[in-house]
């Protein structure tokens, strides 16, 4: 400044110039640091999202493996021995037996085969409920709730306000699995005395809401648990929702007397 | 110096935006040479300097037109080019042979300052993974922002001075010309940031 003043530059001009220069440099520094900060934040968010995706993928693989193991165990432990027993009744030796014993053996084998058929049917139903396939989500949920009510331990009911146009079959199955998972969680952890499910139709979406009066989760708990290593069921819910581009909201009622879970399912053009 | 750097790195950096700046630097150099010639021969060089103002402004407007992404701002730049040309022509016809067109320089500086600010704002709003200082355009815009900010008060001050009094304050202008040259040299010399950019939502 002194150097420039020695050139005879008036202080007003010098101060004005320095002021403008200071503003320009401050602006450039601000832009650089702000942009760096935002980029780092965005990269961190992307990293976290990728991590979350990995967790969900792992959860869905684990779920698939568990499902396979269960089916394998059912087939191996139940269907296998049943069919082996039936085979024992139907040996070549049977022709040497008297007629009454032959008939008894055939009857026993028939009963065992019927049992095996029933078992395989049950496995098949657990993979794809026939009510859901034939009559849709409303009937499948009603059927599912009817079975729970049959136990008499709690009161479960549902009300579909407008479900004339069915969702696509794979979407219906996904929604049904989500409902099943939520109900299982409520039964296992909440100790509630009632569960009430309602369905409403929006213009572009379908809303399913579950109420229960037991211990529940809020959104923060849900997000925390679905990001941690525990809560496989919650991760499955999240990965299933991701497939159908849906949303879920866990909250407590303002009266704090019950918990709500709201599922928002976007509809395709032909589902409206 | 920036022109030499541009020519040295031409094969690596064939960028249309840089061509405008290269053209401007060459014109600036020729204008200064001509100015030196007329000064030594005691001739007035108002016409060449006033013509240089027009070329400089147009080149920088075109540069901003190329680097700014917003369609609306691009249209504003086109409108500013037309408006500036009409204003310059009016001033040039009236005073072009008698004095420097200070009013045109003021309009040029204010509009360029506005475009520089918008460029920075756009860089904050439309963020990609490339840091701003890895782009050539950032250094060019910074060069002109610092030059314009540094000489803004000087250009407002000069019209009030008598005779050749302004020449003793011109050291300020030289300081900022040097800074601008250094920043432009950095822009010309740096590696082109051609890595694919990932947009954030």
């Amino acid at each position: 400044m002194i150097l420039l003043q020695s050139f005879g530059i008036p202080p007003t001009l010098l101060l004005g110039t320095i002021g403008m220069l200071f503003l320009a440099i401050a602006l450039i520094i601000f832009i650089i640091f702000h942009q760096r900060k935002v980029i780092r934040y965005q990269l961190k968010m992307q990293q976290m999202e990728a991590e979350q995706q990995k967790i969900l993928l792992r959860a869905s693989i684990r779920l698939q493996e568990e499902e396979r193991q269960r089916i394998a165990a059912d087939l191996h432990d139940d269907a296998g021995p049943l069919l082996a027993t039936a085979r024992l009744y139907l040996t070549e030796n049977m022709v040497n037996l008297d007629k009454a014993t032959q008939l008894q053996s055939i009857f026993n084998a028939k009963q065992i085969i019927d049992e095996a058929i029933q078992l395989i049917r049950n496995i098949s139903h657990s993979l794809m409920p026939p009510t859901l396939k034939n009559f849709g989500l409303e009937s499948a949920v009603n059927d599912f709730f009817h079975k729970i009510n049959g136990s008499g331990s709690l009161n479960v009911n549902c009300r579909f306000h407008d479900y004339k146009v069915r969702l696509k079959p794979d979407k219906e199955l996904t929604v049904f699995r989500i409902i099943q998972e939520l109900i299982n969680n409520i039964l296992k952890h909440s100790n509630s005395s009632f569960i009430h499910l309602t369905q409403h139709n929006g213009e572009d979406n379908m809303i399913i809401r579950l109420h229960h009066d037991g211990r529940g989760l809020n959104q923060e708990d849900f997000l925390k648990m679905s990001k941690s290593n525990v809560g496989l069921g919650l991760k499955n819910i999240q990965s299933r929702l991701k497939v159908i581009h849906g949303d879920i909201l866990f909250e407590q009622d303002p009266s704090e007397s019950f918990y709500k879970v709201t599922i928002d399912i976007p509809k395709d053009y032909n589902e409206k | 110096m920036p022109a030499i750097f541009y020519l040295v790195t031409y094969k690596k950096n064939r960028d249309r935006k840089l061509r405008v700046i290269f053209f401007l630097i060459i014109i600036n150099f020729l204008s200064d040479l001509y100015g030196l010639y007329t000064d030594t021969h005691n001739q007035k060089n108002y016409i060449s300097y006033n013509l240089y103002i027009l070329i400089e402004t147009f080149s920088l407007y075109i540069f901003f037109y190329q680097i700014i992404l917003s369609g609306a701002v691009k249209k504003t730049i086109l409108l500013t080019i037309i408006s500036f040309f009409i204003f310059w022509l009016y001033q040039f016809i009236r005073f072009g042979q008698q004095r420097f067109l200070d009013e045109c320089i003021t309009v040029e500086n204010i509009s360029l300052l506005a475009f520089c600010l918008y460029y920075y704002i756009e860089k904050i709003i439309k963020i990609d993974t490339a840091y701003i200082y890895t782009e050539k355009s950032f250094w060019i815009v910074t060069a002109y922002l610092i030059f314009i900010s540094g000489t803004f008060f000087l250009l407002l001050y000069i019209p009030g001075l008598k005779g050749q009094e302004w020449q003793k304050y011109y050291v300020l202008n030289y300081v900022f010309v040097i800074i601008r040259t250094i920043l432009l040299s950095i822009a010309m010399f740096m590696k082109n940031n051609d890595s694919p950019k990932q947009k954030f939502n």
Side-chain angles (χ1 to χ4, degrees):
Chain A
M1 193 161 163
I2 294 163
L3 179 75
L4 287 169
Q5 270 182 336
S6 68
F7 282 100
I9 296 166
T12 336
L13 174 60
L14 208 58
L15 281 174
T17 304
I18 290 171
M20 279 294 279
L21 195 64
F22 175 76
L23 280 176
I25 292 171
L27 173 77
I28 293 161
I29 291 172
F30 168 75
I31 300 286
I32 290 174
F33 279 93
H34 180 78
Q35 205 221 18
R36 274 168 70 107
K37 204 171 138 185
V38 174
I39 287 176
R40 281 182 185 170
Y41 173 75
Q42 302 272 30
L43 286 174
K44 203 175 160 188
M45 289 293 285
Q46 271 189 349
Q47 238 171 2
M48 277 167 68
E49 211 169 293
E51 201 65 37
Q52 175 73 1
Q53 294 275 6
K54 262 192 219 168
I55 291 173
L56 288 179
L57 188 68
R58 253 183 257 140
S60 90
I61 291 170
R62 220 169 102 188
L63 177 83
Q64 218 172 43
E65 282 307 315
E66 276 178 12
E67 190 83 350
R68 281 180 186 170
Q69 275 173 19
R70 191 180 62 75
I71 295 166
D74 281 354
L75 290 173
H76 180 267
D77 301 343
D78 298 335
L82 280 175
L83 293 172
T85 316
R87 192 174 175 276
L88 278 177
Y89 281 108
L90 304 170
T91 53
E92 295 85 358
N93 249 354
M94 210 168 75
V95 288
N96 302 324
L97 298 173
D98 61 283
K99 203 144 191 166
T101 319
Q102 271 182 2
L103 278 173
Q104 184 59 44
S105 287
I106 291 169
F107 179 75
N108 286 344
K110 190 177 166 275
Q111 261 192 332
I112 291 167
I113 290 169
D114 282 346
E115 220 175 297
I117 290 169
Q118 188 56 45
L119 180 80
I120 289 164
R121 192 176 283 156
N122 287 346
I123 294 171
S124 153
H125 287 182
S126 75
L127 291 175
M128 176 72 189
T131 328
L132 181 70
K133 193 180 167 190
N134 300 328
F135 305 106
L137 185 68
E138 186 176 354
S139 306
V141 172
N142 267 317
D143 201 29
F144 178 50
F145 279 17
H146 185 73
K147 280 176 192 158
I148 298 171
N149 269 333
S151 72
S153 54
L154 80 165
N155 177 22
V156 187
N157 61 68
C158 67
R159 188 176 164 81
F160 279 66
H161 285 97
D162 178 14
Y163 193 64
K164 287 180 196 113
V165 182
R166 282 177 63 177
L167 297 174
K168 281 182 187 164
D170 50 343
K171 202 186 247 184
E172 260 191 338
L173 180 64
T174 308
V175 175
F176 183 69
R177 292 290 182 225
I178 292 170
I179 293 171
Q180 262 187 328
E181 190 65 54
L182 287 169
I183 298 291
N184 283 343
N185 280 349
I186 294 168
L187 293 178
K188 267 201 279 185
H189 307 291
S190 80
N191 199 22
S192 53
S193 64
F194 82 87
I195 302 171
H196 182 59
L197 181 146
T198 50
Q199 176 271 347
H200 292 274
N201 254 341
E203 210 166 286
D204 303 310
N205 61 344
M206 187 173 90
I207 301 286
I208 288 175
R209 190 166 281 143
L210 275 161
H211 291 83
H212 69 91
D213 63 343
R215 279 194 311 274
L217 297 176
N218 55 35
Q219 194 66 6
E220 207 180 316
D221 298 326
F222 169 69
L223 292 174
K224 215 186 278 176
M225 286 176 80
S226 57
K227 276 175 192 164
S228 70
N229 288 328
V230 292
L232 181 67
L234 294 177
K235 283 189 199 82
N236 289 332
I237 291 174
Q238 228 182 10
S239 58
R240 283 190 165 120
L241 278 168
K242 209 155 201 164
V243 173
I244 57 169
H245 305 293
D247 248 323
I248 195 161
L249 179 70
F250 287 79
E251 56 190 331
Q252 192 176 18
D253 190 74
S255 65
E256 295 189 358
S257 51
F258 55 87
Y259 279 87
K260 277 193 290 190
V261 186
T262 311
I263 310 166
D264 183 351
I265 304 139
K267 284 196 216 163
D268 289 343
Y269 181 73
N270 50 1
E271 293 167 346
K272 289 175 188 172
Chain B
M1 211 161 74
I4 295 168
F5 282 135
Y6 175 79
L7 291 173
V8 168
T9 59
Y10 180 70
K11 276 187 181 175
K12 287 183 203 164
N13 301 321
R14 288 183 190 183
D15 196 337
R16 274 175 62 195
K17 296 166 217 161
L18 293 184
R19 277 183 214 163
V20 179
I21 300 299
F22 175 71
F23 168 75
L24 179 59
I25 292 164
I26 296 297
I27 296 293
N28 188 353
F29 182 66
L30 293 176
S31 164
D32 282 352
L33 277 185
Y34 184 69
L36 213 62
Y37 170 80
T38 51
D39 265 6
T40 48
H41 289 78
N42 284 326
Q43 292 172 1
K44 289 184 175 175
N45 61 351
Y46 296 131
I47 294 179
S48 70
Y49 270 126
N50 289 335
L51 275 172
Y52 173 72
I53 291 168
L54 181 72
I55 296 168
E56 182 191 50
T57 314
F58 269 31
S59 307
L60 289 173
Y61 282 165
I62 291 166
F63 172 72
F64 278 105
Y65 182 84
Q66 287 172 332
I67 60 166
I68 282 174
L69 303 171
S70 158
V73 179
K74 276 180 188 273
K75 279 179 197 158
T76 312
I77 294 174
L78 289 179
L79 205 70
T80 315
I81 290 177
I82 297 165
S83 315
F84 182 81
F85 181 68
I86 294 166
F87 181 66
W88 178 88
L89 200 65
Y90 172 72
Q91 292 281 328
F92 189 76
I93 291 165
R94 285 179 70 192
F95 315 111
Q97 296 179 11
Q98 301 147 32
R99 62 173 175 88
F100 294 126
L101 301 177
D102 305 315
E103 299 86 354
C104 289
I105 299 174
T106 310
V107 171
E108 178 201 356
N109 282 353
I110 291 172
S111 57
L112 287 177
L113 217 54
F115 294 144
C116 287
L117 290 177
Y118 182 78
Y119 168 80
Y120 289 131
I121 290 168
E122 201 175 62
K123 284 284 158 192
I124 288 184
I125 297 169
K126 295 172 182 168
I127 283 178
D128 50 45
T129 45
Y131 291 114
I132 192 169
Y133 48 78
T134 60
E135 290 174 18
K136 284 170 181 285
S137 55
F138 166 77
W139 291 96
I140 296 170
V141 172
T142 304
Y144 281 98
L145 176 71
I146 289 185
F147 178 72
I148 292 167
S149 326
T151 55
F152 194 72
F153 264 77
L154 182 70
L155 291 168
L156 290 178
Y157 205 77
I158 284 173
L161 300 174
K162 288 169 190 166
Q164 297 297 305
E165 210 183 344
W166 59 270
Q167 280 183 342
K168 65 179 183 185
Y169 302 146
Y170 237 59
V171 64
L172 263 180
N173 189 51
Y174 298 138
V175 169
F176 289 107
V177 167
I178 293 168
I179 295 172
R180 186 185 68 184
T181 308
I182 293 168
L183 293 173
L184 285 178
S185 303
I186 293 171
M188 297 295 175
F189 197 67
M190 69 191 292
K191 251 188 168 179
N192 217 355
N193 182 23
D194 283 338
S195 58
K197 289 168 188 176
Q198 182 184 358
K199 295 277 176 207
F200 293 119
N201 298 321

